[in-house]
Amino acid sequence: MPAFPEPLSEPPPASLAPVLPLGREPGRAAAGRVLGQALRGHREDRGLTLREVAAVIRSSVSKVSRLERGESPPKARDVHDLIRHYGLDQEEIRTIERLLEFAQDCEWYEQYSDVTPGFLRRLIQLEGDAEEICVYENLVIPGILQLPEYAWHMVRAVMPSAPDAEIERVVQLRTQRRLRLMEGEAPRLTALLDEGVLKRRCGNARVMREQLTYLLEAGDRAKVNIRILDMTSGYVAAPPYPITHLTFRDGGPGELAYVEHINGANYVTRPRALDDHRNALSNLRVAAASRDRSRAMILEALEAFR
């Protein structure tokens, strides 16, 4: 059996660094990544290590790394401390401060920060700027395709002691996330689902009927490709955990993989580990049923809940 890599969260190589032109006004997520790229460039120009810079902002190496990758909201104090330490000229300072202004502009999901861990907020931020998303799920409908009632029962199962108000907040977040990704200038989405996901009850039969009906409707959209891994088609070396792979538009980092686990998540950016995850998803695409057969499988599962 192939060994799937342990997800790594090391800083991406320079080839994955964002190169969005500073002359065009970036979105908030893009601004955060470009700000990080600029800070990283100034640090490397001065021959400073992450550890040396971490001391300047009284923080950890991992925090500086996340700041330079644009994966955590920048704090004005940290950025200004770095500006002073790097000795930037006035033009460079204006560029950094402009990016900081955009990057700090409140994102829609910040209103749910009380129920959203930081690692998930970073994913939602990155999703908004992705060109293509490929998600593999082996246990549940992916969060970006969950209807509210399905999400409520799933979150309740994961958080059995949480008050209903907290569950509702999490469900509202998932609903807004789904609507924003599925409407307007949405990224292309490929969802690779184990067949068991269609048959595993979450809530009652009505909840499952509505959720599976929504999968059918979503799969009819031009930018959405839902593919099912048929359990009768033979053994497939599937990863034992969900994977989300993001490919970014021109001007962003090339790609990254997100792997969530019980106590957090990892952002895979090292080329070798990223290759392993990308290849795993490619193999799953090949093994998955066709779009037409996948649709038929969803219909079969839907009938079982009538």
Side-chain angles (χ1 to χ4, degrees), residues 113-273:
S113 59
D114 58 319
V115 294
T116 313
F119 62 83
L120 181 56
R121 287 200 299 274
R122 292 196 294 275
L123 174 65
I124 295 172
Q125 179 187 45
L126 291 165
E127 284 176 340
D129 205 48
E131 181 177 41
E132 183 170 5
I133 299 173
C134 179
V135 56
Y136 161 69
E137 264 289 357
N138 57 346
L139 293 175
V140 298
I141 302 292
I144 55 179
L145 290 171
Q146 291 176 7
L147 289 183
E149 285 199 74
Y150 183 99
W152 195 95
H153 286 283
M154 199 208 75
V155 175
R156 168 56 72 198
V158 175
M159 304 166 56
S161 60
D164 286 350
E166 183 175 349
I167 302 296
E168 288 296 338
R169 295 270 296 155
V170 176
V171 171
Q172 289 169 11
L173 168 68
R174 293 190 179 214
T175 299
Q176 287 207 39
R177 178 186 176 200
R178 173 176 58 84
L179 294 174
R180 287 172 180 272
L181 286 175
M182 299 294 289
E183 306 294 341
E185 295 297 319
R188 295 191 301 275
L189 171 65
T190 297
L192 304 170
L193 309 182
D194 187 273
E195 184 181 358
V197 170
L198 306 180
K199 300 178 179 181
R200 186 171 294 109
R201 184 187 293 259
C202 183
N204 58 29
R206 178 185 58 78
V207 170
M208 291 300 298
R209 287 197 303 271
E210 292 176 354
Q211 179 63 70
L212 294 176
T213 298
Y214 178 75
L215 278 189
L216 292 171
E217 295 170 354
D220 286 338
R221 303 185 186 199
K223 288 188 174 184
V224 180
N225 182 12
I226 297 176
R227 306 279 297 282
I228 309 300
L229 290 155
D230 190 339
M231 291 189 294
T232 66
S233 63
Y235 174 73
V236 177
Y241 46 76
I243 300 175
T244 298
H245 180 262
L246 305 177
T247 304
F248 296 96
R249 301 181 178 91
D250 293 342
E255 57 181 323
L256 61 81
Y258 169 87
V259 181
E260 192 168 319
H261 48 81
I262 191 168
N263 294 319
N266 292 99
Y267 288 83
V268 182
T269 54
R270 279 186 176 178
R272 185 170 181 177

Side-chain angles (χ1 to χ4, degrees), residues 29-72:
R33 292 202 306 277
V34 178
L35 172 63
Q37 180 199 33
L39 292 173
R40 179 182 178 181
H42 290 307
R43 173 179 61 80
E44 292 178 341
D45 287 346
R46 288 154 180 79
L48 298 172
T49 66
L50 288 171
R51 188 173 301 279
E52 290 169 329
V53 169
V56 173
I57 61 172
R58 306 153 301 280
S59 188
S60 64
V61 169
S62 62
K63 179 178 178 180
V64 177
S65 178
R66 291 195 301 271
L67 174 62
E68 290 187 351
R69 295 200 303 267
E71 291 181 357
S72 61

